[in-house]
Amino acid sequence: MAKRLQGKVDEAKSAAAKLTAEQEAKKVELTGASHLLTEAKDAAAVKATEYDDAKSGREQMELALASLESDGVTLKRRRDQIVKEQSKFTDIRDNMLKVLLEKGSEAGSEKNAKKLCEKLMKQISQLGGEPALQASAPSVLLKKPEERQGFDSHVLEAVEAVLQSRLDSIQKGLDEVDSEEKAREPDVATKREEVNQAKAKCEDLKSQLDAAEEVACDKEVAVVATKTLLEESEKTMQEMSQKIDTAVAEVLAFDEVLAIFKDLGAFQCGK
């Protein structure tokens, strides 16, 4: 019986020693896993900083591109306004002045001719035509072409000159817009390419960051799993220690009982 009880004690102690060795191995494993987790988190933090910097740089480039594109919208608006004005004065030249030059009072009806003349002279006045020209031009414009004489041609040329001056000014404005648009094209193209490259860099760094965070997550799971196993092992060790204490107590108790029986036996033999 004593041998059996002692066997139980020895068996429990052997299992405890084995478990202790396993615990030490788990502690070493936990230290290594924690170190790897720290490295993974540091790597993820570096990637996060790189991504944030790249994202900030991309946003600055996008703002610069948006500013350039806004300038382009402004230029287009200017062009549209100038083209509209050019169309207006081209129409005045082709459908008012030329009609009156070629037909005079016979431009449709006499009433229609006077109406055209009034509209034309209103524009000549707004364009800064001299008072003398404004006073003399209507009567010349309303003459039949064959009725016009030498001085009349100077009046008509002056009217044409006022209108042509405005058209030339408009064309100059268009040329300036064209020049500005052409000058800014390389900057816009360059900035768009920079933005595209910045976007590609951000996407690449985001992928690297996601991968680094996934690695860190895996390392953290490994640390938690190792801690859990170690905690379970420690709990098992406590339970085993209690069993060993119980087994040792049983052995000691049996030894005491055995000693009592031996004493009784010796006492009876002495009688």
Side-chain angles (χ1 to χ4, degrees), residues 184-255:
R184 61 184 292 278
E185 283 176 1
D187 289 341
V188 174
T190 298
K191 191 59 65 178
R192 279 179 180 156
E193 180 59 26
E194 288 176 354
V195 168
N196 289 335
Q197 290 179 0
K199 285 181 177 179
K201 182 178 180 181
C202 280
E203 290 175 359
D204 180 54
L205 287 173
K206 185 62 169 64
S207 296
Q208 293 181 34
L209 173 59
D210 290 343
E213 289 179 338
E214 186 174 351
V215 169
C217 182
D218 291 342
K219 299 302 180 186
E220 189 162 9
V221 169
V223 167
V224 171
T226 304
K227 280 183 177 180
T228 300
L229 289 175
L230 187 58
E231 289 171 356
E232 291 175 352
S233 177
E234 289 174 348
K235 183 178 179 181
T236 301
M237 187 65 182
Q238 289 176 354
E239 292 173 352
M240 191 169 290
S241 178
Q242 291 176 353
K243 288 181 179 180
I244 290 173
D245 291 342
T246 300
V248 169
E250 288 177 351
V251 170
L252 292 175
F254 182 78
D255 286 345

Side-chain angles (χ1 to χ4, degrees), residues 19-35 222-223 225-231 233-234 237:
L19 187 58
T20 298
E22 291 177 353
Q23 280 184 324
E24 292 303 317
K26 286 295 180 185
K27 288 178 180 179
V28 172
E29 184 180 340
L30 178 60
T31 299
S34 298
H35 179 68
V223 167
T226 304
K227 280 183 177 180
T228 300
L229 289 175
L230 187 58
E231 289 171 356
S233 177
E234 289 174 348
M237 187 65 182

Side-chain angles (χ1 to χ4, degrees), residues 21 39 64 69 77 85 99-100 120 125-126 137 158 165 175 177 184 191 199 202 216 223 242 245 247 256:
E39 288 183 341
E69 290 176 338
R77 192 177 295 117
E85 189 176 18
V99 170
L100 290 169
L120 174 61
S125 175
Q126 291 177 355
S165 175
D175 292 342
V177 170
R184 61 184 292 278
K191 191 59 65 178
K199 285 181 177 179
C202 280
V223 167
Q242 291 176 353
D245 291 342
E256 289 179 0

Side-chain angles (χ1 to χ4, degrees), residues 77-247:
R77 192 177 295 117
R78 276 176 57 193
R79 166 181 280 282
D80 291 344
Q81 291 172 344
I82 293 172
V83 168
K84 183 178 180 181
E85 189 176 18
Q86 185 182 51
S87 177
K88 170 187 171 181
F89 284 101
T90 299
D91 181 67
I92 291 171
R93 181 193 64 191
D94 296 343
N95 297 312
M96 290 186 188
L97 179 58
K98 284 188 176 181
V99 170
L100 290 169
L101 288 176
E102 293 172 1
K103 298 181 179 180
S105 61
E106 295 181 341
S109 63
E110 183 177 350
K111 182 179 180 181
N112 184 63
K114 286 182 179 181
K115 189 175 180 181
L116 281 178
C117 186
E118 287 173 1
K119 288 183 178 180
L120 174 61
M121 293 314 299
K122 182 179 179 181
Q123 294 299 325
I124 295 301
S125 175
Q126 291 177 355
L127 293 175
E130 295 181 0
L133 179 63
Q134 294 181 48
S136 60
S139 60
V140 175
L141 287 166
L142 291 172
K143 287 181 180 180
K144 295 178 182 179
E146 63 270 17
E147 294 176 351
R148 292 168 185 156
Q149 299 179 4
F151 181 74
D152 293 340
S153 62
H154 294 296
V155 174
L156 297 178
E157 287 172 1
V159 173
E160 288 182 288
V162 171
L163 194 55
Q164 189 58 48
S165 175
R166 183 55 183 163
L167 285 168
D168 290 344
S169 176
I170 291 171
Q171 186 59 51
K172 182 180 178 182
L174 277 176
D175 292 342
E176 289 175 354
V177 170
D178 288 342
S179 178
E180 288 184 47
E181 287 181 335
K182 187 174 182 180
R184 61 184 292 278
E185 283 176 1
D187 289 341
V188 174
T190 298
K191 191 59 65 178
R192 279 179 180 156
E193 180 59 26
E194 288 176 354
V195 168
N196 289 335
Q197 290 179 0
K199 285 181 177 179
K201 182 178 180 181
C202 280
E203 290 175 359
D204 180 54
L205 287 173
K206 185 62 169 64
S207 296
Q208 293 181 34
L209 173 59
D210 290 343
E213 289 179 338
E214 186 174 351
V215 169
C217 182
D218 291 342
K219 299 302 180 186
E220 189 162 9
V221 169
V223 167
V224 171
T226 304
K227 280 183 177 180
T228 300
L229 289 175
L230 187 58
E231 289 171 356
E232 291 175 352
S233 177
E234 289 174 348
K235 183 178 179 181
T236 301
M237 187 65 182
Q238 289 176 354
E239 292 173 352
M240 191 169 290
S241 178
Q242 291 176 353
K243 288 181 179 180
I244 290 173
D245 291 342
T246 300

